[in-house]
Structures are given as C-alpha cells and as structure tokens.
Amino acid sequence: MTPGPSAAPEPPDGVLARAVRILSAFDTRSTALTVSELSRRSGLPLSTTSRMVAELVRHDLLARTDDGRRIRVGVRLWELGSRAAPTRGLREAALPFMEDLHTVVRHHVQLGVLEGHDVLFVERLSARNAVINVTEVAGRLPLHASSSGLVLLAHADTEVQAMVLAGPLRPYTADTITSPDRLRVHLAEIRRTGFVHTPGHIRPAAAGVAVPVRDDRDRVIAALGVVVPNDDTAVRVVPALRAAAQGIQRTMTTPDRA
Amino acid sequence: MTPGPSAAPEPPDGVLARAVRILSAFDTRSTALTVSELSRRSGLPLSTTSRMVAELVRHDLLARTDDGRRIRVGVRLWELGSRAAPTRGLREAALPFMEDLHTVVRHHVQLGVLEGHDVLFVERLSARNAVINVTEVAGRLPLHASSSGLVLLAHADTEVQAMVLAGPLRPYTADTITSPDRLRVHLAEIRRTGFVHTPGHIRPAAAGVAVPVRDDRDRVIAALGVVVPNDDTAVRVVPALRAAAQGIQRTMTTPDRA
C-alpha cells in the first residue's frame, strides 16, 4: 500500500492522483508524518509533496500538528468522508445491536464489509482489558485470515474467491488457513452452517466468531463478528450473533425507519 | 455551505478546490446526488462537474449508485478520512465510557468537538425509540443552540466567543438563547457549574445535558452530552456524565494505554 523508496513507482499524473497518494500515506499507526516521510511513503518528489501538502492544508484536508513539524489528516477530510459515508446506514442500523451484543460478550464486537480483497472494518466496540485484537475502525484484514473476512469471502463473487484462492494466503499463526483446498472446504462449511469460528487464526490467544448480515434481498452485505479469548466458550456466542444479524437486517429493511 | 445557482460564486481555481467543492455537496441527508444536482450545489459548470466526478470515481473517492444514475461518496474517502482521523484517539478513549453511560441513560449519548463556529459530532450512540434528536455523526450544530456547543463555547477562545456573540443567534424554539447578554451569562454559569442543561432549546420535547472533556493539560477538547426527554429528570444524569468525562480524561492521559 505504501511503497518505499526502492519500490517507488512513477509519480502519478494529475493533482488528484498525487493528493490521493499523499492521503494514502497515513494509516492507523502513522497519523502524523513529516513532509519527508510523506514524500518517501507516497513516492513523490519532496518539492511536489511539499507543494501538495500546502494545498491540502489550505483546504483543511490535512493539518499541521501543534508543533508545526508534522502533518496529520484534517478534521474536514474525516467530515467529508463520514457524513455521507456509504456504510453509514448499515453502521447506524447495526450499532444498537452491536451495543447489546457487547454488553453480553464484552471483548470486541465488529462490523466489516468487503472492500477489494480485504475486509474493511466500519465499526468496532471494545471493552477495556479485552482480549488482544488487531482490528481497528477503518482498518483492513485479508479475507482468508479473519473470521469476518471468511464470512464475506464465502458469499463473495466467484471472481473474488478465485483471486483469493490463487493466493498467496499469508499465515499469521500456525492455525491460519493457508491451503487453497482447505480454504475451499471451509467456505462451503460457512455457507452451510451460517457462521465461522477461527480459533487462533490471527493471534493464538484470540478466537473470532462471525456471521453474515444480509439486506432486504438476502444478499450478504457485511459480517458481524466478535473476538473473544480462544477457549471452548467462543462458539456459545453464535446464537446471540445470529439474533443481532437478524435485527440489523430487519432494521435496514423496515421501510418506515427514520 | 451549499450555494444555490443564484448565489453561485466564481468556480474556484485548481483541481483540488473543485474536488472539495464537489465532495462538500454531499451531506447526511443527501448521500446520493445526480451530476446536475452536484453541479447546482457546487456552483461548478455541468461539464466541469461531470469531468471532476469521473476523475473522483476513478480514484474511488466517489462511486456510482447501483443504477448508475446517481453519485455517492466512495468507501475509499471514508477510509482515508477515518483511519488516521485526528479525533480517533479521543473517540476510542470515549467510546467505552459512552457505552456505559448509554446503558444507564438510553436515548442519545454524543461526543462533539469545536470546529469553526460549530460543534462537530464525532460519535453518537442512540437507542431504538429514543427521544427525537437532530444530532448525527459528522453532523454539525451551531454553538449557541446545542448543549454540547454551549459547553465548547464557554471554554473557547475569546475570539470565537466574540464572533458567536456578535450573532446572528438563530432560534430553533422559543427556548433557544438568542440574546447575546443572556448567552454571556449562560456561558459564565457553565464555567462555574461545569455543566449545561438546555431544556427544549432545539426541540420542545428534548433536553440536552453536557459537560466538558479535558486533556492532560486540563484544556477542554470535547463536550460529552446526552439528549433525553425534556422533563425534570434530565439534570439527574449530570453526575454520571461527569464521571464518564473524568474516565475519558484519565484514559487519554494514561501513558501506557495501547
């Protein structure tokens, strides 16, 4: 996603392409970067980066940190992306059910959508002192490794499935599914049972459990999942997850909702 | 914010300025617009709008709706704005406390920051069947009218206060504060008592109650508020709100948090 200097592709043509390249350099772990870091991560010359940053700051899409030495995403960019976000209706329908679920499950409750060949998490509720979890709001995970990703992959177009099955299937732990044959069997099982359980697939101490969320035409539009300690109680959450997914579907398809 | 055709200013110079103008045309109520609507709202000629939309779609910042006839915000724009959002740390620290509060208060719990002369809401939890509320995530309200806005205004720079006090102070109901003198007294009261109660200021049936959220240097960085039915029980939530605001401050200033 963020090419280093050796892998730097040709600087893209067009102001918008360059702006997107710079905005893409920020991520959940790198929320404030110097102009040099932005230049290196975006693969744009320092002078171009500096000029683009100045223009992005002028439009409040980026902002300087208090000490003036680093650059961060501007509140305006968050606002533009959030107030009419395509996932907004889904998130608003899901949040009350996610809260109810969270009261019961504690740890982590998360909602993900298929975006490219990843699951993109649009919401997450976490408890203080919850089991370890690598998910973050607006963060991504590969489809084959995460419970939410597997649910989405099981119901994805055959084209997406073929691309993912063609690999590489990166291992996170010894339990991550890395064989295309095993993955194919797993996906069929998910379609049959309506849920997935991924004990230790990403971190040995954690287990994911996820179910599909459907729209009014019964198409799978999201995955609702929990991340809990990796013990034999994990699968007990399946009925509560299913009930919440039903509730979200009903809320989204009730015509008179606000 | 969205000039109509008669008020259309000169089309701005620069690709980025035009892109921002188009992205700003979407709001919480208008999440899908035709190219004509975008042209009208942005004040850009139809041909320019059409060309810009095509380029924004190419970068996934905008997307076409399923029927291809309207344009909506792209998932990529949400992702770029959210994953490194400046309000992310605050939101993540606040959410567990907001959930606990929501379990007690039901109705609406919301977190707002000062942005220009508005309160910008960065998070909201709502119950099904809650009292009416005009707040939305990534939505704005004027500082003088909303409980969260009044808390932020009470602790804002004198420059911001002077601008708001200079008016106009738009009334939402007969109870909205529209007199600069009354507003000034109210702001002093908020600084003295540490909370605000706005019975019927925006909708007759609803009351807002809000408290400041402070950072490690005791600067007010956000307002935590609830919207509940407009009866004499509203102020009873103040101690719970204060405790939650303390918890958020403690979480944000604990050096070893993840």
Side-chain angles (χ1 to χ4, degrees):
Chain A
M1 290 292 291
T2 49
S6 60
E10 281 297 294
D13 273 346
V15 171
L16 213 53
R18 291 195 290 270
V20 168
R21 194 79 83 80
I22 286 172
L23 298 177
S24 303
F26 296 91
D27 60 40
T28 52
R29 255 159 272 273
S30 311
T31 56
L33 297 166
T34 64
V35 172
S36 310
E37 286 167 337
L38 278 170
S39 164
R40 189 163 43 76
R41 283 176 172 237
S42 65
L44 297 175
L46 193 60
S47 58
T48 309
T49 305
S50 182
R51 207 165 50 238
M52 284 300 307
V53 164
E55 204 179 345
L56 288 161
V57 167
R58 200 154 53 239
H59 291 288
D60 292 329
L61 300 179
L62 293 180
R64 290 183 198 281
T65 53
D66 283 347
D67 62 10
R69 287 163 51 196
R70 289 182 303 164
I71 312 295
R72 58 171 181 75
V73 165
V75 174
R76 183 86 182 126
L77 182 62
W78 174 80
E79 185 182 11
L80 289 176
S82 297
R83 68 183 185 182
T87 52
R88 186 185 178 94
L90 169 66
R91 182 189 171 280
E92 295 204 344
L95 203 47
F97 296 98
M98 292 178 71
E99 283 186 74
D100 292 346
L101 198 56
H102 193 218
T103 313
V104 179
V105 176
R106 308 312 295 177
H107 298 283
H108 310 279
V109 177
Q110 54 203 29
L111 183 71
V113 299
L114 183 69
E115 184 64 16
H117 293 161
D118 298 314
V119 48
L120 175 69
F121 291 97
V122 299
E123 192 49 272
R124 185 186 74 151
L125 299 179
S126 292
R128 296 183 285 280
N129 312 317
V131 69
I132 196 164
N133 180 6
V134 296
T135 306
E136 292 171 302
V137 173
R140 291 171 177 248
L141 279 177
L143 292 173
H144 74 282
S146 61
S147 56
S148 296
L150 284 166
V151 162
L152 294 169
L153 184 59
H155 297 279
D157 293 348
T158 50
E159 193 188 322
V160 172
Q161 291 185 351
M163 286 285 281
V164 172
L165 285 161
L169 301 170
R170 182 198 149 191
Y172 283 76
T173 66
D175 293 318
T176 311
I177 301 173
T178 53
S179 138
D181 286 344
R182 238 189 96 213
L183 181 53
R184 205 173 278 113
V185 170
H186 214 68
L187 296 179
E189 180 83 0
I190 293 167
R191 283 188 295 270
R192 194 175 61 75
T193 61
F195 77 95
V196 67
H197 176 215
T198 55
H201 285 210
I202 292 188
R203 295 290 176 95
V209 184
V211 302
V213 177
R214 296 168 189 274
D215 69 4
D216 54 347
R217 290 155 66 186
D218 265 338
R219 293 175 303 193
V220 173
I221 51 168
L224 180 69
V226 298
V227 177
V228 291
N230 186 8
D231 58 33
D232 55 9
T233 65
V235 290
R236 291 193 202 156
V237 78
V238 171
L241 265 176
R242 281 205 169 116
Q246 285 289 343
I248 297 168
Q249 179 175 17
R250 177 172 41 77
T251 305
M252 292 198 67
T253 58
T254 305
D256 62 356
R257 75 192 173 88
Chain B
M1 290 292 291
T2 49
S6 60
E10 282 296 295
D13 274 345
V15 172
L16 213 52
R18 291 195 290 270
V20 168
R21 195 79 83 80
I22 287 173
L23 297 178
S24 303
F26 296 91
D27 59 41
T28 51
R29 257 159 270 274
S30 311
T31 56
L33 297 165
T34 65
V35 173
S36 311
E37 287 167 335
L38 278 170
S39 164
R40 190 162 44 74
R41 285 176 170 236
S42 64
L44 297 175
L46 194 60
S47 58
T48 309
T49 306
S50 182
R51 206 166 50 239
M52 282 302 305
V53 163
E55 204 179 343
L56 288 162
V57 167
R58 198 154 57 240
H59 290 288
D60 292 328
L61 301 179
L62 294 179
R64 288 180 199 285
T65 53
D66 282 349
D67 62 11
R69 286 165 49 198
R70 288 182 304 163
I71 312 295
R72 58 171 181 77
V73 165
V75 174
R76 183 88 182 125
L77 182 61
W78 174 81
E79 186 183 12
L80 288 176
S82 298
R83 68 182 183 181
T87 52
R88 187 185 178 94
L90 169 66
R91 182 189 170 280
E92 295 205 343
L95 204 47
F97 295 98
M98 292 177 71
E99 283 184 74
D100 293 345
L101 198 56
H102 193 219
T103 313
V104 179
V105 176
R106 307 314 295 178
H107 298 283
H108 310 280
V109 176
Q110 54 204 30
L111 183 72
V113 299
L114 182 70
E115 184 63 17
H117 294 160
D118 297 315
V119 48
L120 175 69
F121 290 98
V122 298
E123 191 48 272
R124 186 186 73 151
L125 299 179
S126 292
R128 298 183 284 281
N129 313 319
V131 70
I132 195 164
N133 180 6
V134 296
T135 306
E136 292 172 303
V137 173
R140 290 172 178 246
L141 279 178
L143 292 173
H144 74 283
S146 61
S147 55
S148 297
L150 284 167
V151 161
L152 294 169
L153 185 59
H155 297 278
D157 293 348
T158 50
E159 194 190 322
V160 173
Q161 291 184 351
M163 287 283 281
V164 172
L165 285 161
L169 301 171
R170 183 196 149 194
Y172 283 76
T173 66
D175 292 318
T176 310
I177 302 172
T178 53
S179 138
D181 286 343
R182 236 188 97 215
L183 182 53
R184 205 171 279 116
V185 170
H186 214 69
L187 296 180
E189 180 84 0
I190 292 167
R191 283 189 295 269
R192 195 177 60 77
T193 61
F195 78 95
V196 67
H197 176 215
T198 56
H201 285 208
I202 292 189
R203 296 289 175 95
V209 183
V211 302
V213 176
R214 296 170 188 272
D215 69 4
D216 54 347
R217 289 155 65 186
D218 266 338
R219 294 176 302 194
V220 172
I221 51 169
L224 180 69
V226 299
V227 177
V228 292
N230 186 7
D231 57 34
D232 55 8
T233 64
V235 290
R236 290 193 203 157
V237 80
V238 172
L241 265 175
R242 282 205 169 118
Q246 284 290 341
I248 296 168
Q249 179 176 16
R250 178 172 38 78
T251 305
M252 292 198 69
T253 57
T254 304
D256 61 359
R257 71 193 177 89

